[in-house]
């Protein structure tokens, strides 16, 4: 390590005993590192929660292995235990904290500055609780809406994911609290998550699943990265030198500490050698095995010292940051206001027929509110991200307080307390609807079926909720549906209601933010961070999810999310980046300015409506499809490359600049194992969603040299003869072997270009000889060396370690 903390840490580690080194890399109890007080290294406290602080004092004081395992299982199994989750036994012991929107909802704001504000507030609450590291943000791609922890992650797109994560991380670390970027990598399902092998092809791995991590690290330098539970292409991520050394350390130049997910390491000596610095939580058996390996030399002391240096440097960095940046006690009222603001900015108005919203209620009007979610809102998901909210807005109370005086608001539960069908409550709700001018219905997905350690079985809302909405549409023509849900859901009645507002898990400010949007006190500006399918079968991961017999094939390759819907011409229910507003925006005057290493994209955005509002301007790179051409690299029809979130007053216009660098134009070449820019014409597109492009222009790209194909005896001759020098070498050799003249040999070789057979078989057949394989291989190898061709990695060679 070359930074100042690294140099000081190395000096400290050199003074440690072997016991102190082993203790430093093995954790202390469930939530702490082991300090070395005699050398000035204190213990660090880590806490859960990307959308709020989750800290249980009883667990922090626990340092025995048996108690730690029980507490750990309590923390993660609430999704499988409805009684425990409903009573919130674990949360009842947790310190109260502000519950911000889940990261899946915060991402709908597309606002990096807002993400940083939330990170700052989280850091202040961490500091007050005595915590030094927050175990988040999680940034695994939302590859499938079935994933139980999808609500903890930002998006299906790595650019939006990486940028929003960087905002949260900067907010945390600027206030002296270390972030832990997780789960590295390809932890996209909860099914058999400790043993499942995520099998991902190289381009998809680099262009999607690793890119979000790479971008967040480049933008914010998180102080820790957390490895995931799963295997990746056959190797446990915490034990993968390819992932932790070749990619993270060497390619990305990461200099922070790498920690395990809790009990995620299966072979601690192998993990330490691979580059996983810290094993959490403490486990006596794993420590004993590491001690034996250190004493017998199978884990060299230099490798152990490296891990210790990373942890010591992390400790020194945090101590200095917290000394340098004092913080005041949390202002929980201000933090709750921020939670409301974030929820308001992130709720997505999916549909608004005939501009039914905002509701222009007048004295004497009757408003019916239906749904248990109006009085007991589901504001967050289950598992390690669950927070005990210090304050929570109740939607019905907020509607009553915000509505104009004289408006009558009546509430009906509509179904049973657990979300199931109740005939009496159904009939009462339908009868009340007949007496109301407008109906607002709060619908949700089934409780207690997903979260940490449990994926969703389907994409449906509670059956009782869908049924009541369907019955309502038969008798009422002003129905507004508010959705709380972990990820995308299917809505069979979507065309028959007047408005749909997606709140997701919007945190403690859900109630007031929804009331403000419905009644026009806030202008909705959220945009979807994933594509919503019409049906589950339209999802890219449908055929391979969640794997079988311990193997999960990511069959869709690079075509994840909107990329898949575009290439297959599938109409989504709501496209990626979609969201409506109470005002209108126009885009014009698109200009490109090409520099030495980048392209500036400039256009003018105008608010042509009567309300102030935020607009999310989305920059896409479009490419023509290569299907069904020869075996050329395929690309998405459209891929997000940047975005800008702009607030404009009515009638205001602003010039918006965004920049594309050379990396934005590249794909990952699996032969070169490097990012490569293809030559050709691309489309620069500005849209309000992936399916609503407002401006577009072409850009000709002078790319890198075309990667040379690797030639062998089975390469078709047409491909081999295109490589410089091959034809001359072949003609000279064949003329010598056959005794023919150069001209005669060239004439005889010409028809071979059309052969689909390998070059060796073709030449033997065409010249009527059994040619020398060794000599032909030499000619082809010489051509490979001259052209710089890289040998392709076949499936048997894809083990990244």
């Amino acid at each position: 390590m070359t930074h100042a903390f690294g140099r000081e840490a190395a000096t400290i580690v050199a003074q440690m005993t072997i016991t102190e080194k082993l203790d430093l890399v093995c954790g202390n109890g469930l939530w702490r590192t082991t300090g070395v007080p005699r050398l000035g290294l204190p213990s660090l406290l880590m806490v859960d929660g990307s959308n709020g602080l989750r800290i249980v004092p009883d667990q922090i004081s626990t340092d025995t292995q048996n108690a730690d395992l029980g507490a750990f299982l309590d923390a993660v199994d609430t999704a499988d235990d409805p009684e425990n989750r409903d009573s919130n036994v674990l949360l009842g012991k947790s310190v109260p904290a502000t519950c911000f929107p889940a990261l899946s909802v915060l991402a709908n704001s597309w606002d990096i500055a807002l993400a940083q504000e939330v990170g700052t507030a989280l850091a202040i609450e961490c500091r007050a609780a005595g915590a030094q590291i927050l175990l988040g943000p999680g940034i695994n791609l939302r590859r499938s809406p079935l994933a139980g922890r999808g609500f903890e992650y930002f998006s299906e797109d790595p650019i939006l994911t990486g940028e929003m994560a960087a905002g949260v991380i900067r907010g945390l670390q600027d206030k002296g609290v270390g972030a832990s970027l997780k789960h590295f990598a390809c932890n996209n399902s909860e099914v058999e998550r400790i043993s499942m092998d995520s099998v991902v092809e190289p381009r998809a791995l680099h262009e999607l699943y690793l890119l979000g991590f790479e971008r967040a690290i480049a933008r914010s330098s998180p102080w820790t990265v957390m490895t995931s539970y799963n295997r990746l292409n056959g190797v446990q991520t915490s034990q993968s030198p390819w992932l932790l050394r070749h990619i993270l350390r060497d390619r990305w130049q990461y200099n922070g500490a790498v920690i395990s997910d809790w009990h995620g390491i299966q072979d601690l000596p192998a993990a330490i050698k691979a580059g996983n610095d810290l094993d959490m939580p403490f486990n006596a058996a794993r420590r004993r095995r590491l001690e034996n390996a250190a004493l017998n030399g199978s884990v060299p002391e230099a490798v152990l010292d490296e891990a210790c240096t990373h942890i010591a440097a992390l400790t020194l960095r945090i101590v200095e940051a917290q000394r340098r940046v004092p913080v005041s006690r949390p202002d929980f009222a201000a933090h709750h206001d921020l939670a409301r603001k974030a929820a308001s900015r992130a709720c997505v108005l999916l549909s608004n027929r005939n501009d039914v919203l905002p509701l222009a209620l007048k004295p004497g009007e009757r408003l019916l509110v239906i749904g248990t979610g109006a009085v007991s809102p589901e504001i967050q998901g289950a598992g390690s991200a669950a927070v005990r909210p210090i304050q929570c807005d109740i939607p019905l109370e907020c509607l009553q307080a915000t509505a104009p005086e004289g408006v009558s608001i009546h509430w009906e539960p509509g179904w049973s307390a657990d979300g199931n069908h109740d005939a009496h409550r159904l009939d009462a709700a339908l009868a009340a609807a007949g007496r109301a001018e407008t109906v607002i219905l709060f619908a949700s997905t089934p409780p207690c079926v997903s979260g940490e350690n449990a994926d969703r079985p389907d994409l449906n809302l509670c059956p009782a909720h869908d049924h009541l909405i369907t019955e309502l549409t038969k008798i009422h023509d002003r129905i507004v549906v508010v959705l709380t849900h972990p990820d995308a859901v299917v809505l069979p009645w979507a065309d028959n209601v007047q408005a749909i507002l997606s709140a997701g898990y919007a945190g403690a400010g859900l109630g007031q933010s929804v009331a403000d949007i419905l009644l026009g006190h806030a202008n909705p500006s959220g945009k979807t961070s994933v594509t919503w399918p019409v049906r589950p079968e339209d999802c890219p991961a449908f055929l391979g999810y969640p794997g079988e017999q311990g193997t999960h094939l990511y069959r869709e390759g690079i075509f994840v999310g909107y990329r898949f819907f575009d290439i297959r011409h599938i109409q989504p229910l709501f496209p990626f980046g979609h969201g409506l507003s109470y005002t209108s925006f126009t885009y014009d005057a698109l200009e490109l300015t090409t520099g030495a290493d980048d392209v500036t994209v400039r256009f003018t955005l105008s608010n042509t409506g009567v309300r102030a509002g935020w607009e999310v301007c989305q920059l896409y790179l479009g490419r023509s499809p290569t299907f069904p051409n020869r075996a050329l690299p395929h690309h998405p029809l459209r891929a997000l490359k940047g975005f800008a979130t702009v607030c404009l007053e009515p009638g205001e216009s602003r010039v918006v600049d965004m920049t594309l660098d050379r990396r934005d134009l590249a794909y990952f070449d699996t032969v070169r194992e490097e990012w490569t820019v293809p030559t050709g014409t691309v489309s620069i597109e500005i849209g309000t969603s992936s399916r609503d492009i407002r401006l577009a222009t072409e850009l000709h790209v002078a790319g890198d040299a075309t990667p040379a194909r690797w030639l062998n005896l089975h390469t078709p001759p047409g491909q081999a003869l295109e490589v410089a020098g091959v034809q001359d070498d072949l003609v000279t050799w064949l003329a010598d072997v056959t005794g023919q003249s150069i001209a005669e040999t060239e004439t005889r070789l010409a028809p071979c270009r059309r052969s689909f057979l390998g070059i060796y078989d073709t030449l033997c057949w065409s010249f009527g000889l059994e040619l020398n394989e060794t000599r032909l291989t030499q000619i082809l190898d010489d051509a490979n060396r001259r052209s710089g061709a890289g040998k392709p990695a076949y499936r048997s060679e894809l083990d990244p370690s």
Side-chain angles (χ1 to χ4, degrees):
M1 303 179 74
T2 57
H3 57 77
F5 296 114
R7 291 190 293 271
E8 184 180 353
T11 300
I12 292 173
V13 171
Q15 303 172 61
M16 289 184 185
T17 66
I18 186 66
T19 298
E20 288 170 334
K21 292 177 182 179
L22 292 168
D23 289 343
L24 187 60
V25 301
C26 287
N28 174 20
L30 189 56
W31 299 108
R32 290 189 182 275
T33 64
T34 301
V36 187
R38 74 177 186 88
L39 296 176
L41 289 182
S43 171
L44 300 177
L45 173 62
M46 294 171 264
V47 293
D48 261 331
S50 294
N51 62 304
L53 183 67
R54 190 179 74 88
I55 178 170
V56 182
D58 291 349
Q59 293 180 359
I60 294 173
S61 63
T62 297
D63 59 5
T64 64
Q65 183 177 340
N66 291 335
D68 130 68
L69 178 60
F72 169 72
L73 293 177
D74 283 345
V76 300
D77 280 350
T78 51
D80 287 334
D81 185 353
E83 292 186 4
N84 187 38
R85 187 181 182 209
D86 287 347
S87 61
N88 268 327
V89 172
L90 183 66
L91 289 183
K93 299 177 182 178
S94 182
V95 172
T98 305
C99 182
F100 293 98
L103 297 186
S104 60
V105 176
L106 185 61
N108 294 340
S109 73
W110 295 58
D111 191 330
I112 301 168
L114 179 61
Q116 185 161 341
E117 283 188 69
V118 171
T120 297
L122 289 170
I124 292 171
E125 296 191 20
C126 281
R127 293 282 296 272
Q132 288 81 42
I133 298 174
L134 182 77
L135 298 173
I139 67 165
N140 296 99
L141 290 192
R142 289 159 66 190
R143 172 177 173 253
S144 168
L146 292 173
R149 297 182 77 176
F151 67 89
E152 291 188 50
Y153 307 138
F154 288 101
S155 175
E156 68 187 21
D157 184 88
I159 301 299
L160 178 56
T161 291
E163 295 289 350
M164 292 294 289
V168 173
I169 292 166
R170 288 193 296 269
L172 285 166
Q173 296 184 169
D174 285 353
K175 290 296 183 180
V177 173
S180 192
L181 190 64
K182 64 183 185 181
H183 305 90
F184 192 54
C186 297
N187 184 188
N188 301 100
S189 168
E190 295 301 288
V191 176
E192 300 178 22
R193 59 179 175 160
I194 197 71
S195 59
M196 186 65 76
D197 185 10
S198 298
V199 179
V200 190
E201 65 179 50
R203 277 194 63 193
L205 189 56
H206 287 276
E207 294 180 24
L208 295 172
Y209 299 101
L210 296 182
L211 181 56
F213 285 93
E214 180 183 7
R215 200 170 184 100
I217 288 169
R219 297 287 196 272
S220 63
S221 299
W223 295 345
T224 76
V225 168
M226 183 190 293
T227 52
S228 57
Y229 284 125
N230 56 286
R231 290 179 291 155
L232 174 58
N233 290 338
V235 182
Q236 212 77 36
T237 60
S238 59
Q239 297 162 209
S240 172
W242 178 85
L243 185 65
L244 303 184
R245 294 193 182 277
H246 175 63
I247 296 297
L248 185 62
R249 298 288 188 197
D250 298 340
R251 189 181 283 269
W252 298 348
Q253 295 295 295
Y254 178 68
N255 62 16
V258 177
I259 68 176
S260 73
D261 204 341
W262 267 227
H263 293 293
I265 289 180
Q266 299 181 9
D267 183 339
L268 184 52
I272 291 291
K273 289 192 287 187
N276 197 120
D277 304 312
L278 177 62
D279 176 24
M280 288 298 295
F282 173 77
N283 179 275
R286 290 198 297 267
R287 188 196 183 282
R288 183 175 62 254
R289 289 192 286 268
L290 178 61
E291 181 176 12
N292 292 339
L295 293 177
N296 67 27
S298 58
V299 173
E301 188 166 5
V303 172
L304 184 59
D305 286 353
E306 178 188 40
C308 289
T309 301
H310 289 144
I311 301 169
L314 168 67
T315 307
L316 295 171
R317 186 193 297 271
I318 289 176
V319 168
E320 170 60 20
Q322 297 203 345
R323 182 198 64 79
R324 180 175 45 84
V325 186
V327 296
S328 57
R329 295 179 59 83
D331 183 341
F332 287 108
H335 287 185
H336 187 70
D337 286 343
L338 176 60
R340 286 175 170 172
K341 170 185 170 182
S344 179
R345 290 285 313 285
C347 286
V348 181
L349 183 58
L350 296 172
S351 66
N352 191 21
R353 301 178 190 282
N354 301 316
D355 292 331
V356 66
L357 295 180
L359 296 174
L361 300 176
K362 299 176 182 178
E365 284 195 35
R366 293 161 297 182
L367 179 65
L368 173 63
V369 179
I370 299 176
T372 53
V375 296
S376 181
E378 191 166 5
I379 65 172
Q380 60 182 328
S384 61
V387 179
R388 181 185 175 191
I390 199 167
Q391 181 179 347
C392 183
D393 294 343
I394 304 303
L396 180 61
E397 295 175 0
C398 294
L399 284 167
Q400 291 169 334
T402 308
E405 189 174 347
V407 173
S408 171
I409 299 180
H410 177 68
W411 173 73
E412 290 287 344
W415 42 75
S416 65
D418 61 4
N420 290 322
H421 178 74
D422 183 305
H424 173 72
R425 290 184 170 185
L426 170 66
D427 291 343
L430 293 174
R435 299 187 294 272
E437 282 80 16
T438 303
V439 177
I440 300 173
L441 188 144
F442 287 79
S444 65
T445 50
C448 312
V449 298
S450 70
E452 186 157 4
N453 209 32
D455 285 353
R456 285 200 282 169
D458 54 51
L459 301 184
N460 300 324
L461 299 176
C462 294
H465 301 195
D466 274 333
H467 177 67
L468 178 49
I469 294 170
T470 300
E471 293 303 306
L472 272 176
T473 62
K474 298 175 182 178
I475 63 171
H476 211 289
D477 61 0
R478 281 178 61 85
I479 303 168
V480 176
V481 178
V482 179
L483 299 172
T484 56
H485 52 98
D487 209 317
V489 289
V490 293
L491 307 175
W493 38 260
D495 291 337
N496 300 318
V497 299
Q498 282 58 59
I500 305 172
L501 180 69
S502 167
Y505 289 158
L510 179 148
Q512 189 61 55
S513 65
V514 167
D516 286 342
I517 289 172
L518 297 183
L519 299 178
H521 296 283
N523 189 355
S525 59
K527 302 276 189 173
T528 55
S529 49
V530 292
T531 306
W532 288 44
V534 173
R535 54 184 194 145
E537 292 83 355
D538 292 339
C539 294
F542 179 77
L543 291 178
Y545 195 89
E548 56 187 58
Q549 297 183 327
T551 300
H552 188 170
L553 298 176
Y554 286 40
R555 301 176 187 272
E556 67 280 8
I558 63 171
F559 297 102
V560 172
Y562 63 91
R563 295 164 169 83
F564 180 85
F565 283 81
D566 288 346
I567 206 74
R568 294 292 303 275
H569 300 290
I570 297 172
Q571 183 63 38
L573 182 61
F574 301 109
F576 174 77
H578 166 77
L580 303 179
S581 171
Y582 295 156
T583 192
S584 56
F585 297 93
T586 60
Y587 293 72
D588 56 45
L590 177 61
E591 298 177 358
L592 303 183
T593 303
T594 304
D597 298 310
D598 57 26
V599 177
T600 298
V601 181
R602 171 172 290 184
F603 58 93
T604 300
L605 178 71
S606 302
N607 183 344
T608 55
V610 296
R611 289 173 174 261
W614 291 85
E615 174 68 326
V616 179
C617 310
Q618 302 161 39
L619 170 60
Y620 293 93
L621 181 71
R623 282 195 169 102
S624 299
T626 55
F627 304 112
N629 294 344
R630 289 196 315 156
L632 299 172
H634 296 154
H635 301 285
L637 297 183
R638 179 173 294 121
L640 184 73
K641 296 299 176 180
F643 56 91
T645 307
V646 182
C647 185
L648 296 177
E649 294 295 323
E652 184 182 2
S653 296
R654 186 175 304 168
V655 174
V656 179
D657 286 338
M658 289 189 268
T659 302
L660 287 169
D661 61 27
R662 196 160 181 82
R663 174 64 181 275
D664 292 321
L665 305 174
Y667 72 100
F668 191 80
D669 187 307
T670 57
V671 174
R672 292 178 172 177
E673 293 189 349
E674 191 52 80
W675 292 91
T676 300
V677 177
T679 297
T681 300
V682 298
S683 177
I684 306 301
E685 302 172 344
I686 306 296
T688 64
S689 80
S690 64
R691 292 290 179 97
D692 186 359
I693 302 302
R694 300 295 180 88
L695 300 171
T697 190
E698 290 186 341
L699 173 69
H700 181 73
V701 178
D704 301 320
T706 302
R709 294 285 295 270
W710 178 265
L711 306 181
N712 60 31
L713 298 178
H714 307 292
T715 303
Q719 293 177 11
L721 291 169
E722 290 177 356
V723 177
V726 170
Q727 175 158 326
D728 292 343
D729 289 349
L730 284 178
V731 168
T732 300
W733 172 52
L734 291 170
D736 182 62
V737 170
T738 63
Q740 295 177 328
S741 68
I742 296 296
E744 289 172 327
T745 304
E746 289 177 337
T747 300
R748 199 161 182 180
L749 183 62
C752 295
R753 287 180 176 272
R754 303 196 306 271
S755 173
F756 61 86
L757 301 176
I759 189 169
Y760 178 75
D761 289 340
T762 299
L763 294 178
C764 290
W765 193 355
S766 179
F767 285 84
L769 297 172
E770 185 175 342
L771 297 169
N772 187 315
E773 292 184 26
T774 301
R775 178 63 185 126
L776 180 55
T777 298
Q778 290 173 346
I779 292 173
L780 298 177
D781 284 347
D782 288 343
N784 287 330
R785 281 190 290 272
R786 290 194 303 268
S787 66
K791 188 176 182 180
Y794 296 99
R795 181 63 191 95
S796 61
E797 299 170 331
L798 278 182
D799 183 341
S801 64

